[in-house]
Each structure stands twice: as C-alpha cells, then as structure tokens.
Amino acid sequence: MSILNVEHLSHGFGDREIFRDVSFRLLKGEHIGLVGANGEGKSTFMSVVTGKMQPDAGKVEWAKNVKVGYLDQHAVLEKGMTIRSTLQSAYASLFELEQRMNELYMEMGDPDKADKMDEIMEETGTIQDYLTMHDFYLIDSKVDEVARAFGLNDLGLDKDVTELSGGQRTKILLAKLLLEKPDILLLDEPTNYLDAEHIEWLKRYLQNYENAFILISHDIPFLNSVINIIYHVEDCTLNRYVGDYDKFMEVHAIHEAQKKAAYERQQKEIAELKDFVARNKARVATRNMAMSRQKKLDNMELVELSRAKAKPEFNFQVARTPSRVLFETKDLVIGYDEPLSKPLDFMMERGTKIVLTGSNGIGKSTLLKSLLGIIKPISGDVSRGDFLEIGYFEQETPADIETTCLEELWKEFPSWNQYEVRSALAKCGLTSDHIESKVKVLSGGEQAKVRLAKLIGRPSNLLVLDEPTNHLDPDAKEVLKQALIDYKGSILMVCHEPEFYQDLATEVKSCKEWALREM
C-alpha cells in the first residue's frame, strides 16, 4: 500500500536547480534512508512533502487519513510549558475526548437532559471504549518510560522547556514525536543532538518500528542498522536502492562504472561519426552517407556522467609553538544562573588531542566557552597559556545571520581579495552558487563548511571544536578526520561519534566525572 506518492517534482531556489522531474513512492512499513552530499536537497525534500514548501512543479499526494510525524528542529516550544505537559501534548486528541466525556457526565445530572439519557450514555460508552483501547489510562507510564529513555527525568519533568539547551529541546521534540506513533516518521538528522546511550535507544526503537519512516542521517553505522531502502539524492534526481547504505554504495559504484564505460564508448563513436562527416560531406559520392551519419549525431541521446562533486580540502595551518600548559583550571564551577559542575581541576598540555564526551545538557559546550573566556564561570579560576592562537568552531550558525558566504568570510579576513575568499570557500567544498547565497538558506552541512573555512584561513596552535561532525556528509567527515589527524597543533573537541574521534584522540574524557547531573 502506497502512503506517499510524489510525481514529476521539480524545485529550485533562483537559478539553482534542486530537483528535476523527480518521482518517489513510500510503501507501508518501508524504512527509508534519504542520503546524498551536503546541499543536494534532502531537507528541502522533507519540507516539500510536509507542505512547508511548495514545489515549482509536480504533485505530492498522501494516502487518506495518514498521520505524519515530522521532527522539526526549529519548532518553537512555548514558555510556561513543562517537559511533562509537552510530552503529554502528544495525546492531545485523547485529552479532548476525555473532556467531552466529563461534559457528558455533567449532562447526566441535568434533569432537562433526561429524555436524551440513552443517547448520552451511548456516546459516553463509545468514548470510554476508545480511550481504553488507545491506552489513555497508561499515558503517565508511557510518558515516564520515554522520558527515562531520553534521560529527561533527570532534568525534572516539571521544568519549563524554554530553560533547556538546544539539544535537550530536540530530545523532547523527538520523545513527543515517538509518543504520537504516527503512520510515518520523518526524521532529519535526529542523532545530531543525542549522546551514544540515547542513539542506541533510538536505534532499537526504529528497528522495531512497525510503521514507515524516512530518515536523513550522516551517521552511517546508525543508518545501516535501521533502514532497508535507500533513496539517493544526486544531480537533481532521486534513485531507489534496496538494502542498507553499504549495499547502496556497492551498487552505486557499479552503476557509475557502467555509466563511465557507456560514456567513453559513445564519445569514441561520436568522434568517429564527426570524422566521417568532415571527410565525406563535400564529396558527391559519399554525401548521402555523411548526411545519414550527421542525422544520427543530431538524434543521439547523450550519456552524461554524474556531476563532479566539490570535494572539500581541510588543511589547518599551524601557528607558533605555545607554552607547555594550554589551559589550567582551579576549582572551576561552570554554569549560567545555576552551577552545572562540581569544582573542576582540569589541565591541558601542548600536543594533546582531547575529546569530551557525555550527555546533552551537562555542560560540555559551557566548559569550552568558560575556558575560552566567552562566558564567566560561576566561581574558580581559568588560566590560559602563553602564545595561544585558538581556532574555535561553534556548534551552530547564529539563526539571525543575514550575510552571504562571501560576505561572512570577507568580514573575517578583510584584507583578502575576492579571489582569495572564493578560493577558500571552494576548498571547503562550496560551489559558486553556495558562495553567493545567504548563509541562512544553506543546509546545515554547507553552513558548517563556512565555519570551517574561517578556521582554515588563520594559523592556530589549538583547535576548540564543538560537535564539528554535525550535519557533515560522510565524504566531508572523512576528509575532516584526516585533517585533524595530520594537524600538528592541539585539539579540544566535543564529539558524540566514536568512529570519528577514536583514531585521532590522545585522551577521551567523560564529563560525567564532574557534572552535577547526568542526562
């Protein structure tokens, strides 16, 4: 049974074409991985099929009465709502029925409604059966179960949602979505804000999920473990492959080799036909044969190779050697209004590459900002070494950014000419279309490459990286990993992907050692 049909979809932004005559079909129970390089249009596809964006052409048709759940990381959570009430809102329709049932109970005591008593009792019974069938009286235990799975109980379920970090809010939105049990889940990079324990829980949940889902993820081990169909976005097209990501890569490589062989055969044939036409079109005896071959050339359907992808090059420049001790803290307590840590004594020496791990919300990013002096600690001291040249990669691009990529990098390096700015962005895998676009309209991976271009443009002896792998596609992630392995300076990094950091880290520190709470 088809849940979603997309026919002849075309869409673009200005002169930039994203999809061209794309068709897609989602069947009941399919677990789909939507993959492709950064900027190919995966999130745009999600926005189109959910109606958040209207396509330039084509038709999007959902099956009747299908319930769609979309993990929207930009959803606004209202002040005054608690974690518990947000999770319970997944059952809003059941609470409305309960309210109707309570109104009917009130009507039973109204003497003026005596003649309608049978009708009222019948409706009450129908609602009661429906609530029981849909586990209405188990809502609290279901909410507690999911909250516990995502570590939300430790936050306090009565905490206002607007007081939480971005990662914590995303967890709540994901937990609410799973409680709703829609007919189809649309998940756009759900693991970006989850730690290893909660990624493992989500993996088990999706493996046992009976309904259909479409998943965008650059976490290949996670993707492989939960999907059975791949749709690949490339060159404005969408192609279907049966199997996991590894199987897709194997089949895709074969297709590309076959396409290249066909292209080379055709190019050889074209050259021979053109040569024959050039040599024979002027001779009366062979003119007809030349015209026939020219007609064949004119009507030939050309084999096109896949568009060459802009492959990033991340080469970090190294500044002068700093002092032996880069950071040292004494009785450091980090936080904003409330402490997030116990008194912390932490030292980082030159030449080390340290990775910080731990759950969202325990203060990893806050620690980085405290060490860098971006925010003041609640108490304690931070001393920084001499001759430090720090390159800092923030987790996300500011939401209110209005500059183009060109302007953003020029602002960072005002002495550069336009050629130097464009070259720096191109080396990070951005095309001319991206470079002239506003940063805020780019995909998360493309925005990350703009931030990386800033780091690469200036020599450093210490890189402070806050979740640098979020949003990056597998190719870009692999290039970044090798660049960090080759980097001769020191690294302090927050990361939740062991596959990324295990070959480059000299030390992995769990932040639960000093955290006041473990999410």
PDB file of all heavy atoms in Angstrom, residues 93-105 108 119-138:
ATOM      1  N   SER A  93      -5.481  14.753  21.368  1.00  0.00           N
ATOM      2  CA  SER A  93      -6.819  14.343  20.897  1.00  0.00           C
ATOM      3  C   SER A  93      -7.527  13.475  21.936  1.00  0.00           C
ATOM      4  O   SER A  93      -8.754  13.556  22.097  1.00  0.00           O
ATOM      5  CB  SER A  93      -6.704  13.578  19.572  1.00  0.00           C
ATOM      6  OG  SER A  93      -5.929  12.407  19.740  1.00  0.00           O
ATOM      7  N   LEU A  94      -6.764  12.646  22.677  1.00  0.00           N
ATOM      8  CA  LEU A  94      -7.373  11.808  23.711  1.00  0.00           C
ATOM      9  C   LEU A  94      -7.829  12.655  24.900  1.00  0.00           C
ATOM     10  O   LEU A  94      -8.886  12.396  25.491  1.00  0.00           O
ATOM     11  CB  LEU A  94      -6.382  10.737  24.178  1.00  0.00           C
ATOM     12  CG  LEU A  94      -5.933   9.720  23.123  1.00  0.00           C
ATOM     13  CD1 LEU A  94      -5.030   8.675  23.744  1.00  0.00           C
ATOM     14  CD2 LEU A  94      -7.134   9.043  22.469  1.00  0.00           C
ATOM     15  N   PHE A  95      -7.046  13.673  25.254  1.00  0.00           N
ATOM     16  CA  PHE A  95      -7.455  14.560  26.349  1.00  0.00           C
ATOM     17  C   PHE A  95      -8.712  15.345  25.987  1.00  0.00           C
ATOM     18  O   PHE A  95      -9.556  15.625  26.841  1.00  0.00           O
ATOM     19  CB  PHE A  95      -6.310  15.520  26.708  1.00  0.00           C
ATOM     20  CG  PHE A  95      -5.236  14.896  27.558  1.00  0.00           C
ATOM     21  CD1 PHE A  95      -3.980  14.645  27.046  1.00  0.00           C
ATOM     22  CD2 PHE A  95      -5.488  14.535  28.877  1.00  0.00           C
ATOM     23  CE1 PHE A  95      -2.989  14.054  27.821  1.00  0.00           C
ATOM     24  CE2 PHE A  95      -4.517  13.944  29.669  1.00  0.00           C
ATOM     25  CZ  PHE A  95      -3.258  13.703  29.134  1.00  0.00           C
ATOM     26  N   GLU A  96      -8.840  15.685  24.694  1.00  0.00           N
ATOM     27  CA  GLU A  96     -10.063  16.380  24.247  1.00  0.00           C
ATOM     28  C   GLU A  96     -11.271  15.455  24.383  1.00  0.00           C
ATOM     29  O   GLU A  96     -12.364  15.894  24.787  1.00  0.00           O
ATOM     30  CB  GLU A  96      -9.899  16.826  22.793  1.00  0.00           C
ATOM     31  CG  GLU A  96      -8.942  18.000  22.632  1.00  0.00           C
ATOM     32  CD  GLU A  96      -8.646  18.296  21.160  1.00  0.00           C
ATOM     33  OE1 GLU A  96      -9.293  17.673  20.282  1.00  0.00           O
ATOM     34  OE2 GLU A  96      -7.779  19.146  20.898  1.00  0.00           O
ATOM     35  N   LEU A  97     -11.084  14.174  24.071  1.00  0.00           N
ATOM     36  CA  LEU A  97     -12.181  13.219  24.232  1.00  0.00           C
ATOM     37  C   LEU A  97     -12.543  13.035  25.706  1.00  0.00           C
ATOM     38  O   LEU A  97     -13.725  12.920  26.058  1.00  0.00           O
ATOM     39  CB  LEU A  97     -11.797  11.866  23.624  1.00  0.00           C
ATOM     40  CG  LEU A  97     -11.887  11.751  22.101  1.00  0.00           C
ATOM     41  CD1 LEU A  97     -11.351  10.398  21.651  1.00  0.00           C
ATOM     42  CD2 LEU A  97     -13.331  11.932  21.625  1.00  0.00           C
ATOM     43  N   GLU A  98     -11.526  13.021  26.563  1.00  0.00           N
ATOM     44  CA  GLU A  98     -11.792  12.907  27.998  1.00  0.00           C
ATOM     45  C   GLU A  98     -12.621  14.097  28.475  1.00  0.00           C
ATOM     46  O   GLU A  98     -13.561  13.946  29.274  1.00  0.00           O
ATOM     47  CB  GLU A  98     -10.485  12.827  28.777  1.00  0.00           C
ATOM     48  CG  GLU A  98     -10.720  12.638  30.281  1.00  0.00           C
ATOM     49  CD  GLU A  98      -9.526  13.019  31.130  1.00  0.00           C
ATOM     50  OE1 GLU A  98      -8.799  13.961  30.742  1.00  0.00           O
ATOM     51  OE2 GLU A  98      -9.333  12.409  32.195  1.00  0.00           O
ATOM     52  N   GLN A  99     -12.266  15.291  27.971  1.00  0.00           N
ATOM     53  CA  GLN A  99     -13.017  16.494  28.356  1.00  0.00           C
ATOM     54  C   GLN A  99     -14.472  16.378  27.903  1.00  0.00           C
ATOM     55  O   GLN A  99     -15.395  16.732  28.644  1.00  0.00           O
ATOM     56  CB  GLN A  99     -12.367  17.727  27.730  1.00  0.00           C
ATOM     57  CG  GLN A  99     -13.015  19.047  28.163  1.00  0.00           C
ATOM     58  CD  GLN A  99     -12.308  20.249  27.570  1.00  0.00           C
ATOM     59  OE1 GLN A  99     -11.218  20.142  27.020  1.00  0.00           O
ATOM     60  NE2 GLN A  99     -12.925  21.405  27.681  1.00  0.00           N
ATOM     61  N   ARG A 100     -14.668  15.861  26.686  1.00  0.00           N
ATOM     62  CA  ARG A 100     -16.030  15.663  26.186  1.00  0.00           C
ATOM     63  C   ARG A 100     -16.779  14.655  27.056  1.00  0.00           C
ATOM     64  O   ARG A 100     -17.963  14.844  27.373  1.00  0.00           O
ATOM     65  CB  ARG A 100     -15.972  15.182  24.732  1.00  0.00           C
ATOM     66  CG  ARG A 100     -17.315  14.754  24.138  1.00  0.00           C
ATOM     67  CD  ARG A 100     -18.333  15.864  24.163  1.00  0.00           C
ATOM     68  NE  ARG A 100     -19.617  15.431  23.643  1.00  0.00           N
ATOM     69  CZ  ARG A 100     -20.765  16.045  23.890  1.00  0.00           C
ATOM     70  NH1 ARG A 100     -20.795  17.135  24.663  1.00  0.00           N
ATOM     71  NH2 ARG A 100     -21.896  15.606  23.369  1.00  0.00           N
ATOM     72  N   MET A 101     -16.104  13.593  27.485  1.00  0.00           N
ATOM     73  CA  MET A 101     -16.735  12.579  28.329  1.00  0.00           C
ATOM     74  C   MET A 101     -17.144  13.187  29.672  1.00  0.00           C
ATOM     75  O   MET A 101     -18.243  12.903  30.186  1.00  0.00           O
ATOM     76  CB  MET A 101     -15.766  11.416  28.544  1.00  0.00           C
ATOM     77  CG  MET A 101     -16.372  10.236  29.312  1.00  0.00           C
ATOM     78  SD  MET A 101     -15.258   8.811  29.352  1.00  0.00           S
ATOM     79  CE  MET A 101     -13.922   9.480  30.370  1.00  0.00           C
ATOM     80  N   ASN A 102     -16.286  14.046  30.236  1.00  0.00           N
ATOM     81  CA  ASN A 102     -16.621  14.696  31.504  1.00  0.00           C
ATOM     82  C   ASN A 102     -17.824  15.620  31.355  1.00  0.00           C
ATOM     83  O   ASN A 102     -18.659  15.730  32.276  1.00  0.00           O
ATOM     84  CB  ASN A 102     -15.419  15.472  32.035  1.00  0.00           C
ATOM     85  CG  ASN A 102     -14.301  14.548  32.505  1.00  0.00           C
ATOM     86  OD1 ASN A 102     -14.559  13.403  32.870  1.00  0.00           O
ATOM     87  ND2 ASN A 102     -13.068  15.036  32.484  1.00  0.00           N
ATOM     88  N   GLU A 103     -17.920  16.264  30.184  1.00  0.00           N
ATOM     89  CA  GLU A 103     -19.083  17.125  29.926  1.00  0.00           C
ATOM     90  C   GLU A 103     -20.353  16.278  29.866  1.00  0.00           C
ATOM     91  O   GLU A 103     -21.418  16.696  30.354  1.00  0.00           O
ATOM     92  CB  GLU A 103     -18.882  17.883  28.607  1.00  0.00           C
ATOM     93  CG  GLU A 103     -17.821  18.967  28.674  1.00  0.00           C
ATOM     94  CD  GLU A 103     -17.484  19.529  27.286  1.00  0.00           C
ATOM     95  OE1 GLU A 103     -18.093  19.042  26.301  1.00  0.00           O
ATOM     96  OE2 GLU A 103     -16.648  20.442  27.204  1.00  0.00           O
ATOM     97  N   LEU A 104     -20.252  15.084  29.273  1.00  0.00           N
ATOM     98  CA  LEU A 104     -21.415  14.186  29.185  1.00  0.00           C
ATOM     99  C   LEU A 104     -21.828  13.710  30.573  1.00  0.00           C
ATOM    100  O   LEU A 104     -23.035  13.575  30.873  1.00  0.00           O
ATOM    101  CB  LEU A 104     -21.091  12.990  28.283  1.00  0.00           C
ATOM    102  CG  LEU A 104     -20.932  13.295  26.788  1.00  0.00           C
ATOM    103  CD1 LEU A 104     -20.375  12.087  26.052  1.00  0.00           C
ATOM    104  CD2 LEU A 104     -22.282  13.709  26.181  1.00  0.00           C
ATOM    105  N   TYR A 105     -20.843  13.450  31.446  1.00  0.00           N
ATOM    106  CA  TYR A 105     -21.171  13.051  32.821  1.00  0.00           C
ATOM    107  C   TYR A 105     -21.950  14.167  33.520  1.00  0.00           C
ATOM    108  O   TYR A 105     -22.897  13.901  34.285  1.00  0.00           O
ATOM    109  CB  TYR A 105     -19.889  12.743  33.603  1.00  0.00           C
ATOM    110  CG  TYR A 105     -19.262  11.411  33.263  1.00  0.00           C
ATOM    111  CD1 TYR A 105     -17.870  11.269  33.218  1.00  0.00           C
ATOM    112  CD2 TYR A 105     -20.044  10.287  33.004  1.00  0.00           C
ATOM    113  CE1 TYR A 105     -17.283  10.044  32.907  1.00  0.00           C
ATOM    114  CE2 TYR A 105     -19.465   9.065  32.690  1.00  0.00           C
ATOM    115  CZ  TYR A 105     -18.086   8.948  32.641  1.00  0.00           C
ATOM    116  OH  TYR A 105     -17.524   7.738  32.341  1.00  0.00           O
ATOM    117  N   MET A 108     -25.530  14.151  32.491  1.00  0.00           N
ATOM    118  CA  MET A 108     -26.340  13.086  33.083  1.00  0.00           C
ATOM    119  C   MET A 108     -27.062  13.551  34.342  1.00  0.00           C
ATOM    120  O   MET A 108     -28.133  13.035  34.685  1.00  0.00           O
ATOM    121  CB  MET A 108     -25.447  11.881  33.434  1.00  0.00           C
ATOM    122  CG  MET A 108     -24.984  11.074  32.242  1.00  0.00           C
ATOM    123  SD  MET A 108     -23.953   9.671  32.759  1.00  0.00           S
ATOM    124  CE  MET A 108     -23.435   9.038  31.178  1.00  0.00           C
ATOM    125  N   GLU A 119     -29.028   8.375  24.690  1.00  0.00           N
ATOM    126  CA  GLU A 119     -28.083   8.900  23.695  1.00  0.00           C
ATOM    127  C   GLU A 119     -26.768   9.329  24.360  1.00  0.00           C
ATOM    128  O   GLU A 119     -25.672   9.042  23.859  1.00  0.00           O
ATOM    129  CB  GLU A 119     -28.729  10.090  22.982  1.00  0.00           C
ATOM    130  CG  GLU A 119     -27.888  10.674  21.863  1.00  0.00           C
ATOM    131  CD  GLU A 119     -28.579  11.867  21.206  1.00  0.00           C
ATOM    132  OE1 GLU A 119     -29.841  11.868  21.129  1.00  0.00           O
ATOM    133  OE2 GLU A 119     -27.861  12.801  20.808  1.00  0.00           O
ATOM    134  N   ILE A 120     -26.888   9.995  25.531  1.00  0.00           N
ATOM    135  CA  ILE A 120     -25.703  10.466  26.261  1.00  0.00           C
ATOM    136  C   ILE A 120     -24.881   9.271  26.751  1.00  0.00           C
ATOM    137  O   ILE A 120     -23.654   9.250  26.631  1.00  0.00           O
ATOM    138  CB  ILE A 120     -26.117  11.356  27.451  1.00  0.00           C
ATOM    139  CG1 ILE A 120     -26.710  12.670  26.941  1.00  0.00           C
ATOM    140  CG2 ILE A 120     -24.930  11.634  28.368  1.00  0.00           C
ATOM    141  CD1 ILE A 120     -27.333  13.531  28.033  1.00  0.00           C
ATOM    142  N   MET A 121     -25.575   8.286  27.292  1.00  0.00           N
ATOM    143  CA  MET A 121     -24.860   7.113  27.817  1.00  0.00           C
ATOM    144  C   MET A 121     -24.168   6.331  26.703  1.00  0.00           C
ATOM    145  O   MET A 121     -23.065   5.810  26.883  1.00  0.00           O
ATOM    146  CB  MET A 121     -25.828   6.210  28.578  1.00  0.00           C
ATOM    147  CG  MET A 121     -26.320   6.819  29.885  1.00  0.00           C
ATOM    148  SD  MET A 121     -27.370   5.706  30.836  1.00  0.00           S
ATOM    149  CE  MET A 121     -26.197   4.462  31.354  1.00  0.00           C
ATOM    150  N   GLU A 122     -24.805   6.266  25.541  1.00  0.00           N
ATOM    151  CA  GLU A 122     -24.196   5.566  24.417  1.00  0.00           C
ATOM    152  C   GLU A 122     -22.911   6.270  23.962  1.00  0.00           C
ATOM    153  O   GLU A 122     -21.888   5.632  23.725  1.00  0.00           O
ATOM    154  CB  GLU A 122     -25.184   5.493  23.246  1.00  0.00           C
ATOM    155  CG  GLU A 122     -24.627   4.702  22.068  1.00  0.00           C
ATOM    156  CD  GLU A 122     -25.620   4.593  20.908  1.00  0.00           C
ATOM    157  OE1 GLU A 122     -26.790   4.973  21.085  1.00  0.00           O
ATOM    158  OE2 GLU A 122     -25.181   4.139  19.833  1.00  0.00           O
ATOM    159  N   GLU A 123     -22.959   7.620  23.863  1.00  0.00           N
ATOM    160  CA  GLU A 123     -21.770   8.380  23.452  1.00  0.00           C
ATOM    161  C   GLU A 123     -20.675   8.256  24.508  1.00  0.00           C
ATOM    162  O   GLU A 123     -19.495   8.100  24.175  1.00  0.00           O
ATOM    163  CB  GLU A 123     -22.130   9.846  23.233  1.00  0.00           C
ATOM    164  CG  GLU A 123     -20.944  10.650  22.695  1.00  0.00           C
ATOM    165  CD  GLU A 123     -21.275  12.114  22.435  1.00  0.00           C
ATOM    166  OE1 GLU A 123     -22.460  12.493  22.512  1.00  0.00           O
ATOM    167  OE2 GLU A 123     -20.322  12.878  22.170  1.00  0.00           O
ATOM    168  N   THR A 124     -21.073   8.302  25.790  1.00  0.00           N
ATOM    169  CA  THR A 124     -20.095   8.161  26.876  1.00  0.00           C
ATOM    170  C   THR A 124     -19.396   6.804  26.795  1.00  0.00           C
ATOM    171  O   THR A 124     -18.176   6.706  26.929  1.00  0.00           O
ATOM    172  CB  THR A 124     -20.784   8.305  28.244  1.00  0.00           C
ATOM    173  OG1 THR A 124     -21.454   9.551  28.315  1.00  0.00           O
ATOM    174  CG2 THR A 124     -19.764   8.215  29.375  1.00  0.00           C
ATOM    175  N   GLY A 125     -20.186   5.766  26.571  1.00  0.00           N
ATOM    176  CA  GLY A 125     -19.618   4.422  26.474  1.00  0.00           C
ATOM    177  C   GLY A 125     -18.665   4.283  25.289  1.00  0.00           C
ATOM    178  O   GLY A 125     -17.611   3.643  25.397  1.00  0.00           O
ATOM    179  N   THR A 126     -19.043   4.891  24.166  1.00  0.00           N
ATOM    180  CA  THR A 126     -18.184   4.845  22.971  1.00  0.00           C
ATOM    181  C   THR A 126     -16.837   5.519  23.248  1.00  0.00           C
ATOM    182  O   THR A 126     -15.771   4.989  22.896  1.00  0.00           O
ATOM    183  CB  THR A 126     -18.881   5.539  21.785  1.00  0.00           C
ATOM    184  OG1 THR A 126     -20.124   4.879  21.507  1.00  0.00           O
ATOM    185  CG2 THR A 126     -17.997   5.497  20.544  1.00  0.00           C
ATOM    186  N   ILE A 127     -16.882   6.695  23.889  1.00  0.00           N
ATOM    187  CA  ILE A 127     -15.643   7.419  24.209  1.00  0.00           C
ATOM    188  C   ILE A 127     -14.807   6.617  25.199  1.00  0.00           C
ATOM    189  O   ILE A 127     -13.587   6.507  25.063  1.00  0.00           O
ATOM    190  CB  ILE A 127     -15.963   8.821  24.773  1.00  0.00           C
ATOM    191  CG1 ILE A 127     -16.618   9.697  23.697  1.00  0.00           C
ATOM    192  CG2 ILE A 127     -14.693   9.490  25.298  1.00  0.00           C
ATOM    193  CD1 ILE A 127     -17.089  11.050  24.191  1.00  0.00           C
ATOM    194  N   GLN A 128     -15.486   6.060  26.208  1.00  0.00           N
ATOM    195  CA  GLN A 128     -14.776   5.275  27.229  1.00  0.00           C
ATOM    196  C   GLN A 128     -14.041   4.092  26.588  1.00  0.00           C
ATOM    197  O   GLN A 128     -12.866   3.829  26.894  1.00  0.00           O
ATOM    198  CB  GLN A 128     -15.782   4.771  28.266  1.00  0.00           C
ATOM    199  CG  GLN A 128     -15.160   3.944  29.385  1.00  0.00           C
ATOM    200  CD  GLN A 128     -14.376   4.809  30.358  1.00  0.00           C
ATOM    201  OE1 GLN A 128     -14.943   5.663  31.009  1.00  0.00           O
ATOM    202  NE2 GLN A 128     -13.070   4.586  30.441  1.00  0.00           N
ATOM    203  N   ASP A 129     -14.720   3.396  25.687  1.00  0.00           N
ATOM    204  CA  ASP A 129     -14.089   2.261  25.000  1.00  0.00           C
ATOM    205  C   ASP A 129     -12.904   2.712  24.158  1.00  0.00           C
ATOM    206  O   ASP A 129     -11.861   2.044  24.114  1.00  0.00           O
ATOM    207  CB  ASP A 129     -15.114   1.549  24.102  1.00  0.00           C
ATOM    208  CG  ASP A 129     -16.172   0.815  24.909  1.00  0.00           C
ATOM    209  OD1 ASP A 129     -15.950   0.591  26.118  1.00  0.00           O
ATOM    210  OD2 ASP A 129     -17.226   0.475  24.326  1.00  0.00           O
ATOM    211  N   TYR A 130     -13.075   3.857  23.475  1.00  0.00           N
ATOM    212  CA  TYR A 130     -11.995   4.376  22.622  1.00  0.00           C
ATOM    213  C   TYR A 130     -10.765   4.746  23.455  1.00  0.00           C
ATOM    214  O   TYR A 130      -9.629   4.417  23.079  1.00  0.00           O
ATOM    215  CB  TYR A 130     -12.493   5.611  21.851  1.00  0.00           C
ATOM    216  CG  TYR A 130     -11.506   6.133  20.827  1.00  0.00           C
ATOM    217  CD1 TYR A 130     -11.496   5.650  19.524  1.00  0.00           C
ATOM    218  CD2 TYR A 130     -10.576   7.111  21.174  1.00  0.00           C
ATOM    219  CE1 TYR A 130     -10.586   6.123  18.582  1.00  0.00           C
ATOM    220  CE2 TYR A 130      -9.653   7.591  20.256  1.00  0.00           C
ATOM    221  CZ  TYR A 130      -9.673   7.089  18.955  1.00  0.00           C
ATOM    222  OH  TYR A 130      -8.764   7.559  18.036  1.00  0.00           O
ATOM    223  N   LEU A 131     -10.988   5.411  24.605  1.00  0.00           N
ATOM    224  CA  LEU A 131      -9.876   5.805  25.476  1.00  0.00           C
ATOM    225  C   LEU A 131      -9.147   4.577  26.012  1.00  0.00           C
ATOM    226  O   LEU A 131      -7.915   4.539  26.075  1.00  0.00           O
ATOM    227  CB  LEU A 131     -10.391   6.663  26.623  1.00  0.00           C
ATOM    228  CG  LEU A 131     -10.922   8.059  26.251  1.00  0.00           C
ATOM    229  CD1 LEU A 131     -11.459   8.771  27.488  1.00  0.00           C
ATOM    230  CD2 LEU A 131      -9.829   8.913  25.597  1.00  0.00           C
ATOM    231  N   THR A 132      -9.923   3.573  26.391  1.00  0.00           N
ATOM    232  CA  THR A 132      -9.310   2.343  26.914  1.00  0.00           C
ATOM    233  C   THR A 132      -8.507   1.640  25.829  1.00  0.00           C
ATOM    234  O   THR A 132      -7.382   1.175  26.067  1.00  0.00           O
ATOM    235  CB  THR A 132     -10.403   1.393  27.451  1.00  0.00           C
ATOM    236  OG1 THR A 132     -11.150   2.071  28.479  1.00  0.00           O
ATOM    237  CG2 THR A 132      -9.779   0.134  28.025  1.00  0.00           C
ATOM    238  N   MET A 133      -9.073   1.572  24.625  1.00  0.00           N
ATOM    239  CA  MET A 133      -8.416   0.903  23.510  1.00  0.00           C
ATOM    240  C   MET A 133      -7.089   1.583  23.151  1.00  0.00           C
ATOM    241  O   MET A 133      -6.137   0.938  22.716  1.00  0.00           O
ATOM    242  CB  MET A 133      -9.357   0.911  22.293  1.00  0.00           C
ATOM    243  CG  MET A 133      -8.888   0.050  21.117  1.00  0.00           C
ATOM    244  SD  MET A 133      -9.954   0.287  19.676  1.00  0.00           S
ATOM    245  CE  MET A 133     -11.579   0.067  20.413  1.00  0.00           C
ATOM    246  N   HIS A 134      -7.032   2.920  23.321  1.00  0.00           N
ATOM    247  CA  HIS A 134      -5.829   3.674  22.961  1.00  0.00           C
ATOM    248  C   HIS A 134      -4.949   3.981  24.178  1.00  0.00           C
ATOM    249  O   HIS A 134      -4.160   4.930  24.173  1.00  0.00           O
ATOM    250  CB  HIS A 134      -6.216   4.965  22.236  1.00  0.00           C
ATOM    251  CG  HIS A 134      -6.732   4.727  20.849  1.00  0.00           C
ATOM    252  ND1 HIS A 134      -8.032   4.324  20.613  1.00  0.00           N
ATOM    253  CD2 HIS A 134      -6.124   4.797  19.633  1.00  0.00           C
ATOM    254  CE1 HIS A 134      -8.201   4.178  19.301  1.00  0.00           C
ATOM    255  NE2 HIS A 134      -7.071   4.451  18.691  1.00  0.00           N
ATOM    256  N   ASP A 135      -5.101   3.160  25.235  1.00  0.00           N
ATOM    257  CA  ASP A 135      -4.220   3.221  26.415  1.00  0.00           C
ATOM    258  C   ASP A 135      -4.192   4.597  27.078  1.00  0.00           C
ATOM    259  O   ASP A 135      -3.153   5.040  27.577  1.00  0.00           O
ATOM    260  CB  ASP A 135      -2.788   2.812  26.029  1.00  0.00           C
ATOM    261  CG  ASP A 135      -2.704   1.376  25.562  1.00  0.00           C
ATOM    262  OD1 ASP A 135      -3.548   0.563  26.002  1.00  0.00           O
ATOM    263  OD2 ASP A 135      -1.808   1.062  24.766  1.00  0.00           O
ATOM    264  N   PHE A 136      -5.348   5.273  27.092  1.00  0.00           N
ATOM    265  CA  PHE A 136      -5.385   6.610  27.686  1.00  0.00           C
ATOM    266  C   PHE A 136      -4.985   6.574  29.158  1.00  0.00           C
ATOM    267  O   PHE A 136      -4.302   7.492  29.647  1.00  0.00           O
ATOM    268  CB  PHE A 136      -6.805   7.191  27.544  1.00  0.00           C
ATOM    269  CG  PHE A 136      -6.962   8.545  28.190  1.00  0.00           C
ATOM    270  CD1 PHE A 136      -6.403   9.678  27.618  1.00  0.00           C
ATOM    271  CD2 PHE A 136      -7.666   8.688  29.388  1.00  0.00           C
ATOM    272  CE1 PHE A 136      -6.540  10.924  28.210  1.00  0.00           C
ATOM    273  CE2 PHE A 136      -7.804   9.929  29.987  1.00  0.00           C
ATOM    274  CZ  PHE A 136      -7.251  11.047  29.402  1.00  0.00           C
ATOM    275  N   TYR A 137      -5.354   5.522  29.849  1.00  0.00           N
ATOM    276  CA  TYR A 137      -5.092   5.465  31.293  1.00  0.00           C
ATOM    277  C   TYR A 137      -3.668   4.986  31.604  1.00  0.00           C
ATOM    278  O   TYR A 137      -3.303   4.829  32.759  1.00  0.00           O
ATOM    279  CB  TYR A 137      -6.148   4.594  31.974  1.00  0.00           C
ATOM    280  CG  TYR A 137      -7.542   5.147  31.734  1.00  0.00           C
ATOM    281  CD1 TYR A 137      -8.387   4.561  30.783  1.00  0.00           C
ATOM    282  CD2 TYR A 137      -7.973   6.285  32.397  1.00  0.00           C
ATOM    283  CE1 TYR A 137      -9.644   5.105  30.519  1.00  0.00           C
ATOM    284  CE2 TYR A 137      -9.229   6.827  32.140  1.00  0.00           C
ATOM    285  CZ  TYR A 137     -10.055   6.234  31.203  1.00  0.00           C
ATOM    286  OH  TYR A 137     -11.297   6.786  30.942  1.00  0.00           O
ATOM    287  N   LEU A 138      -2.903   4.756  30.539  1.00  0.00           N
ATOM    288  CA  LEU A 138      -1.489   4.402  30.716  1.00  0.00           C
ATOM    289  C   LEU A 138      -0.559   5.527  30.243  1.00  0.00           C
ATOM    290  O   LEU A 138       0.653   5.340  30.136  1.00  0.00           O
ATOM    291  CB  LEU A 138      -1.172   3.122  29.927  1.00  0.00           C
ATOM    292  CG  LEU A 138      -1.945   1.865  30.331  1.00  0.00           C
ATOM    293  CD1 LEU A 138      -1.598   0.715  29.375  1.00  0.00           C
ATOM    294  CD2 LEU A 138      -1.625   1.472  31.768  1.00  0.00           C
TER     295      LEU A 138
END
